[in-house]
Amino acid sequence: MSDNDGIHFVKNEIEFNRILASKKYLVANFTASWCGPCQASKPAVDSLYEDAKYKKIEIVRIDLDDCQAIARKYNITSVPTFLFFESQKEIDRLKGFTPQFKTALDKLSEKAAADSSVVDRTNQESTAAGGYIKEIASYIPKGFEVVNDAIHFGETVALNVMPLYKKSSEAKLVLKPLSENVTVYTDADSQALFFVPLNHICKIYSVLVKVAKLEALEETELDADEIADESQAPNLVKVWANKPAVLSFEDCTASDALHEERLSENLEPGWHEIKLKYVRFQNVQNLNIFVDGADEDSHTIIEKIVIIGLTGESTEHTAIQQEEE
């Protein structure tokens, strides 16, 4: 949600952490629909956001009723409150919308203007990011979101898969949608296994698998003959939730999954949806995702994996006051 495609409303703590990590100079506007001073200050804040002088600064709004966990984390006791961040560190805080807000914004803007590493926000839209969101938009039901940002990548495991592109780093980044050139292929046989731990308890709606267009490229690990004759798209996807650890390949082939789906043997390049039995994927803390191809002697190639669902947040209440005008 955003204000007329202007200032973005943060949906949850995971999204805020992602924005905080990606925006060097950030202002967080804590607000509430029931707060009169918040609504009164909105046009002025919107106007400053559109001012070219502040285009190297990102401003986001955080609604207390929707994001109480963030309010608790930053000890927000009244609204509106504005937090000013530089490189993910809080450097200033203002309660209420006063002339001091513009002074603090000017101070942050001076730093941003002198920082050559920061790009004007109007020119910062990533083609890859924008394209990826547009590609999968039709697969995201109203009220759901991409939950890949909730993945604990430090403990994620990707077994029997290798990066297809020589310049790629880790195979598990196939689960990071905005990463480029992270297409993976199965190494020893046709099977791949991903153990996906989550930082938040989630409800999982579906898993999207992007099938790569198989073509020989100089920068790939497989040669032209291997891609033409020994590569294939996924044919089987099995998903388990809340297992204590990564499964073995023997377990994956021998045991029943919470969800199992057979795909077409002639799968076209592009996104393919594995819609899960939603009632079975509530309160999910981790997933085991097993992918196999039809021919056990061929490499199975996967371009990206995206998880659609809802991230959980605490429903505890925080005592919040509104600042007087």
Side-chain angles (χ1 to χ4, degrees), residues 186-202:
T186 57
D187 187 18
D189 53 29
S190 61
Q191 299 179 341
L193 179 59
F194 303 91
F195 176 67
V196 187
L198 301 168
N199 287 317
H200 284 229
I201 295 175
C202 296

Side-chain angles (χ1 to χ4, degrees), residues 63-184:
D63 187 282
L64 296 176
D65 294 324
D66 294 334
C67 302
Q68 294 178 21
I70 306 176
R72 287 193 300 274
K73 180 177 180 179
Y74 290 99
N75 194 28
I76 304 300
T77 58
S78 63
V79 285
T81 292
F82 300 89
L83 303 189
F84 296 77
F85 293 90
E86 179 182 352
S87 300
Q88 302 185 56
K89 294 181 180 179
E90 182 185 335
I91 60 172
D92 202 356
R93 172 183 295 234
L94 295 175
K95 291 184 177 181
F97 184 72
T98 68
Q100 287 179 288
F101 176 79
K102 188 173 183 303
T103 301
L105 196 65
D106 284 339
K107 185 177 179 180
L108 192 64
S109 178
E110 288 174 5
K111 288 185 176 183
D115 191 337
S116 60
S117 69
V118 178
V119 180
D120 185 323
R121 115 169 76 84
T122 57
N123 298 321
Q124 201 173 26
E125 288 191 4
S126 164
T127 301
Y132 139 71
I133 291 296
K134 289 178 182 177
E135 284 180 11
I136 66 171
S138 63
Y139 296 107
I140 306 176
K142 185 176 180 180
F144 290 86
E145 61 188 340
V146 174
V147 300
N148 289 56
D149 286 332
I151 295 173
H152 188 335
F153 279 96
E155 295 183 3
T156 298
V157 177
L159 296 179
N160 195 43
V161 286
M162 301 288 290
L164 179 63
Y165 294 94
K166 293 179 180 179
K167 293 182 180 180
S168 297
S169 52
E170 296 180 275
K172 63 185 178 182
L173 293 182
V174 72
L175 288 153
K176 212 163 193 175
L178 297 187
S179 298
E180 296 182 2
N181 292 346
V182 290
T183 301
V184 297

Side-chain angles (χ1 to χ4, degrees), residues 263-275:
L263 306 175
S264 168
E265 289 190 22
N266 299 310
L267 214 56
E268 293 294 323
W271 290 98
H272 297 272
E273 181 183 39
I274 294 88
K275 191 178 292 185

Side-chain angles (χ1 to χ4, degrees), residues 291-306:
V291 181
D292 200 358
D295 182 355
E296 65 180 14
D297 295 320
S298 293
H299 301 289
T300 303
I301 297 183
I302 308 162
E303 185 170 336
K304 290 187 189 297
I305 297 175
V306 171

Side-chain angles (χ1 to χ4, degrees), residues 29-38 62 64 76-82 95-97 320-324:
N29 174 193
F30 287 84
T31 184
S33 59
W34 43 261
C35 168
C38 296
I62 302 174
L64 296 176
I76 304 300
T77 58
S78 63
V79 285
T81 292
F82 300 89
K95 291 184 177 181
F97 184 72
I320 302 293
Q321 301 175 342
Q322 66 177 25
E323 284 292 311
E324 296 298 330

Side-chain angles (χ1 to χ4, degrees), residues 191-194 207 209 234-241 247-263 274 276 281 287-292:
Q191 299 179 341
L193 179 59
F194 303 91
V207 174
V209 176
N235 174 249
L236 174 68
V237 177
K238 300 174 76 172
V239 186
W240 293 260
L247 296 173
S248 68
F249 282 102
E250 183 178 354
D251 289 335
C252 291
T253 54
S255 64
D256 293 332
L258 274 182
H259 185 90
E260 178 175 335
E261 189 156 329
R262 183 75 61 176
L263 306 175
I274 294 88
L276 305 178
F281 290 87
L287 295 170
N288 273 271
I289 302 174
F290 172 77
V291 181
D292 200 358

